[in-house]
Amino acid sequence: NAVTTNTKKLSQMQRKRMLVGYTFILPWVIGLVSLFVIPIVESFLYSFQSVSVLAGGGLERPWAGLTHYQRALLEDPDFMPKLLQAFRNMLTEVPIILVFSIFVAMLLNQKFHGRAVVRCIFFLPLMLSSTVLLGIIQGETNVSSLDTGSVYMVSSASIEDIVLKMGVSPEIVSFLTGIIDRIFNLTWQSGVQILLFLTGLQTIPSSLKEAASVEGATSWEYFCKIILPMISPVILVNVIYTIIDTFTSYTNPAMKYISDQANGLNYSYSSALAWLYFVCIMVILGVVMMLLSRKIFYSDSE
């Protein structure tokens, strides 16, 4: 009887804890369903319909099948070039952001005076809305608009002339100046990656560095053979995050094109473009996961 009573009390406590837990997550569930799930389902349906706004209000939604997808893939002269440009931007920006982030994280992991202030400067993008701040910067400095792709804190005009006179091909010059013109944006997008890399670096036991020093390992050998393997799970997370962040950036030409279609009341076509874009991103993430997951080292694995 005593055992049965204790079991009943325990089950009552578990139910109360479950009720408290469900109460806490209920606002999140409501927000997820109302703000994300329902719009996603509606967007998927729109992509197979021809949505138009009626004069008296409301929407007319006749079925259109795969018409919008066919138009995007075979007829639209703008979407595929912008999609390819988004892929090219990803291939150049992701490595730059990751290399810059791990470099800064290693600097911030050192002990020096004013380290807290420097960390706050690099983590500023995590605390402020980048879109709002960039808008303020643009308004005050009168630089090119977001439509052109970047806030030119560093100009490449003079560098371009010098490099061209050195005999470098225009294709390489265009690639290099494109990176220079996006330095501010790339730096601004590195806050999360720096924080994750810094967290990973702080989990590396100091005994490993002492052992490497005793064995006579150079700083480069310590970095390649100890630091990189130990933070490889963080590298995978940062690669995935950076790819998604790059594809969804306000400077992305494909994202802007999809947004422009929606702003022009082409809801159905915009939805079809968005779903094609989503599928492309998921394929790229799947390939990256398949290639990198084999190289991940977990310290607690046998």
Side-chain angles (χ1 to χ4, degrees), residues 110-127:
Q110 306 297 319
K111 295 182 179 180
F112 57 89
H113 294 292
R115 181 174 63 173
V117 176
V118 177
R119 287 182 176 181
C120 289
I121 294 174
F122 280 102
F123 298 158
L124 194 63
L126 302 179
M127 299 178 283

Side-chain angles (χ1 to χ4, degrees), residues 21 40 61 66 89-90 98 132 137 158-159 173 177 196 198 223-224 230 232 237-238 247 273 275 286:
I40 287 174
R61 305 167 53 172
L66 298 175
N89 291 347
M90 183 271 294
L98 293 177
V132 174
I137 293 174
S158 58
I159 299 177
V173 173
T177 55
L196 293 176
L198 182 60
F223 174 77
C224 294
M230 292 294 292
S232 57
V237 172
N238 271 337
F247 275 126
L273 294 178
W275 279 100

Side-chain angles (χ1 to χ4, degrees), residues 43-77:
S43 172
F44 184 73
L45 294 177
Y46 282 0
S47 67
F48 295 99
Q49 300 168 342
S50 293
V51 179
S52 58
V53 181
L54 299 176
L59 298 176
E60 185 178 12
R61 305 167 53 172
W63 189 257
L66 298 175
T67 303
H68 303 299
Y69 292 97
Q70 180 180 356
R71 174 187 170 188
L73 296 175
L74 302 177
E75 301 173 9
D76 193 334

Side-chain angles (χ1 to χ4, degrees), residues 1-301:
N1 293 334
V3 175
T4 304
T5 302
N6 292 334
T7 303
K8 290 182 178 179
K9 290 182 179 179
L10 182 60
S11 61
Q12 290 177 355
M13 292 179 59
Q14 290 176 342
R15 284 195 295 270
K16 289 182 180 179
R17 291 177 179 176
M18 291 175 59
L19 181 60
V20 172
Y22 288 139
T23 303
F24 273 104
I25 68 172
L26 183 60
W28 180 85
V29 173
I30 295 174
L32 176 67
V33 173
S34 60
L35 300 178
F36 290 96
V37 176
I38 294 178
I40 287 174
V41 174
E42 288 291 329
S43 172
F44 184 73
L45 294 177
Y46 282 0
S47 67
F48 295 99
Q49 300 168 342
S50 293
V51 179
S52 58
V53 181
L54 299 176
L59 298 176
E60 185 178 12
R61 305 167 53 172
W63 189 257
L66 298 175
T67 303
H68 303 299
Y69 292 97
Q70 180 180 356
R71 174 187 170 188
L73 296 175
L74 302 177
E75 301 173 9
D76 193 334
D78 298 322
F79 176 64
M80 293 305 296
K82 293 182 183 296
L83 184 61
L84 294 176
Q85 181 62 43
F87 292 153
R88 287 193 291 267
N89 291 347
M90 183 271 294
L91 291 176
T92 57
E93 291 178 5
V94 170
I96 294 173
I97 291 175
L98 293 177
V99 172
F100 174 78
S101 299
I102 193 171
F103 175 74
V104 173
M106 293 185 66
L107 290 179
L108 297 180
N109 197 41
Q110 306 297 319
K111 295 182 179 180
F112 57 89
H113 294 292
R115 181 174 63 173
V117 176
V118 177
R119 287 182 176 181
C120 289
I121 294 174
F122 280 102
F123 298 158
L124 194 63
L126 302 179
M127 299 178 283
L128 297 176
S129 172
S130 59
T131 303
V132 174
L133 186 58
L134 286 176
I136 295 174
I137 293 174
Q138 288 179 319
E140 293 179 353
T141 59
N142 194 27
V143 294
S144 57
S145 65
L146 289 176
D147 294 343
T148 61
S150 179
V151 178
Y152 293 147
M153 301 298 288
V154 181
S155 175
S156 64
S158 58
I159 299 177
E160 182 177 2
D161 293 336
I162 295 174
V163 177
L164 284 174
K165 291 179 180 179
M166 295 173 59
V168 181
S169 65
E171 292 78 10
I172 297 178
V173 173
S174 177
F175 172 77
L176 294 176
T177 55
I179 294 176
I180 293 173
D181 287 337
R182 297 197 300 269
I183 283 179
F184 179 79
N185 289 334
L186 297 179
T187 305
W188 193 262
Q189 294 173 353
S190 303
V192 174
Q193 293 87 333
I194 294 173
L195 179 61
L196 293 176
F197 276 133
L198 182 60
T199 303
L201 291 172
Q202 291 177 346
T203 61
I204 300 178
S206 59
S207 58
L208 291 179
K209 186 173 184 179
E210 296 173 357
S213 178
V214 171
E215 293 293 333
T218 63
S219 299
W220 179 251
E221 290 174 335
Y222 175 70
F223 174 77
C224 294
K225 297 182 179 180
I226 295 180
I227 292 181
L228 286 182
M230 292 294 292
I231 66 171
S232 57
V234 181
I235 294 177
L236 177 60
V237 172
N238 271 337
V239 169
I240 299 299
Y241 174 84
T242 308
I243 290 175
I244 297 175
D245 189 50
T246 302
F247 275 126
T248 57
S249 171
Y250 58 87
T251 62
N252 190 295
M255 282 286 295
K256 185 179 183 302
Y257 184 69
I258 296 172
S259 177
D260 289 342
Q261 293 298 318
N263 292 335
L265 303 184
N266 298 320
Y267 299 127
S268 297
Y269 189 55
S270 175
S271 298
L273 294 178
W275 279 100
L276 287 174
Y277 194 51
F278 170 76
V279 171
C280 292
I281 295 175
M282 293 305 297
V283 170
I284 292 176
L285 292 178
V287 172
V288 171
M289 284 287 294
M290 181 179 62
L291 295 177
L292 295 185
S293 59
R294 303 174 182 177
K295 306 294 184 180
I296 302 303
F297 170 79
Y298 296 99
S299 59
D300 57 347
S301 61

